Structures are given as C-alpha cells and as structure tokens.
Amino acid sequence: QINAKKAVADERMADLQRDIMLVDRRRAHINAMETHNDAKERAISQREASLMRTKRELDEQAKALDDAEREIAGKEDRVARWTDILDRREATIAAREAAMRRAQHAHDNATAAAA
C-alpha cells in the first residue's frame, strides 16, 4: 500500500511539474507579448509625435499662405486704385490736349481770317 501511495504521489508530482512548466511557458509568452506591445506603443507614440510636428508645420505654412494672400490682395487693391487714378489723369490730359488743339485751330483760323 505504501508503494501505491508513493506511485500516486509521484504521479501527482509529475502532473504538478508539468503544470508548472506550462505556467512558466505561458508566463514567458505573455512577457514576450507585453514587450512586443510596449515596442508597438512606443512606435505609435513616436509616429503620433511626428504627425503632430507635421501638422504644426502645415498649420504654420497655411498661416503663412493666408498672410501672403492677404498681402497680395492688399497690393492688388492698391494697384487697382492707382490704375483708376492714372486712367483718370490720362483722360484729363487727353481732354486738355484736345481742348488745346481746338483752341489752336480756332486761333489759327482767326489769324488766317484776319490776314
């Protein structure tokens, strides 16, 4: 009967050692998965930081473009105002030249008639 109890105890001990080995293997696998997930999380964090830097740079470029567009629009307005002013001045000069030519013709005609 002692041998039978020893055999049962040995069998239980072998089962426990097999269970311990399986638990150790599972723990090692879980540790490896956690290490892999930590690496993935670090890579994701780095990618997020890179994307945030890129977004900030794009936001700055968009702001610079908006500023440039406002500056260009202001310059276009000034050019349009000066174009209007110069067009009016040209028209005034052309009208004065036409009036002077008419006056000269009238003077020439009066001089010829007096002669």
Side-chain angles (χ1 to χ4, degrees), residues 21-65:
M21 189 175 63
L22 289 173
V23 166
D24 285 345
R25 224 183 281 157
R26 189 167 177 212
R27 184 183 304 125
H29 177 69
I30 288 171
N31 287 342
M33 286 175 38
E34 286 176 344
T35 300
H36 179 70
N37 284 342
D38 289 345
K40 283 170 68 174
E41 285 177 6
R42 277 193 304 278
I44 288 169
S45 293
Q46 290 171 350
R47 181 71 178 137
E48 286 174 342
S50 173
L51 289 172
M52 289 303 292
R53 281 191 302 274
T54 301
K55 183 186 180 308
R56 256 193 317 277
E57 291 169 2
L58 290 174
D59 288 346
E60 290 170 4
Q61 290 176 1
K63 184 186 178 308
L65 284 174

Side-chain angles (χ1 to χ4, degrees), residues 51-101:
L51 289 172
M52 289 303 292
R53 281 191 302 274
T54 301
K55 183 186 180 308
R56 256 193 317 277
E57 291 169 2
L58 290 174
D59 288 346
E60 290 170 4
Q61 290 176 1
K63 184 186 178 308
L65 284 174
D66 288 345
D67 293 345
E69 285 176 350
R70 275 193 296 281
E71 183 180 345
I72 288 170
K75 288 181 179 182
E76 287 174 339
D77 288 346
R78 281 195 299 275
V79 166
R81 282 195 307 273
W82 275 106
T83 300
D84 287 345
I85 290 169
L86 293 176
D87 288 347
R88 285 193 303 263
R89 286 182 180 172
E90 279 182 341
T92 301
I93 290 169
R96 285 181 184 164
E97 287 176 345
M100 286 192 302
R101 279 194 302 277

